[in-house]
Amino acid sequence: MSGIFLKLRLKMFFSDPLTGVGVDSYGDYFKEFREPQYSLNYGFDLTSTNAHNVPIQFFATGGIFVGVSYILINMFILHSAFGAIKLASEKNRPIIVTIFA
């Protein structure tokens, strides 16, 4: 079933890769981009309002700039966390790890 949803999200992203389908519009476009077989397998009333995966949600609804920004922010936080843990004294290291966890 996840393969079906991945195709759906990729279709949604590639329909407008720069801006996506619009923030908080995933549910509005779900029925438009889903496979025709989806309704027969899962019912006509079953729909989804979110991608259930944050990076994919941002790429599908916000486009390439929002998706890449999200990934870069997370990489910056991870880099900062490792730097802070490395520089912390042995006594303060558990506190720093707890904060970033």
Side-chain angles (χ1 to χ4, degrees):
M1 181 156 85
S2 65
I4 293 170
F5 290 117
L6 182 60
K7 285 181 188 177
L8 170 91
R9 293 173 192 130
L10 287 175
K11 280 185 187 179
M12 213 177 280
F13 170 68
F14 286 118
S15 73
D16 195 352
L18 291 179
T19 61
V21 295
V23 177
D24 210 24
S25 296
Y26 185 89
D28 298 336
Y29 286 89
F30 181 80
K31 288 184 179 181
E32 180 180 333
F33 288 102
R34 69 181 179 187
E35 297 289 325
Q37 190 67 23
Y38 180 88
S39 300
L40 298 172
N41 291 341
Y42 304 107
F44 292 98
D45 295 331
L46 186 62
T47 178
S48 178
T49 57
N50 285 307
H52 304 295
N53 181 312
V54 175
I56 292 175
Q57 174 80 13
F58 283 148
F59 275 104
T61 61
I64 191 84
F65 299 115
V66 174
V68 169
S69 296
Y70 175 78
I71 290 173
L72 290 175
I73 288 169
N74 278 302
M75 288 173 58
F76 173 73
I77 292 169
L78 186 65
H79 176 71
S80 298
F82 284 136
I85 291 168
K86 184 178 176 183
L87 294 175
S89 66
E90 200 65 36
K91 178 183 172 189
N92 292 333
R93 192 167 288 158
I95 297 169
I96 301 294
V97 169
T98 303
I99 289 170
F100 280 107

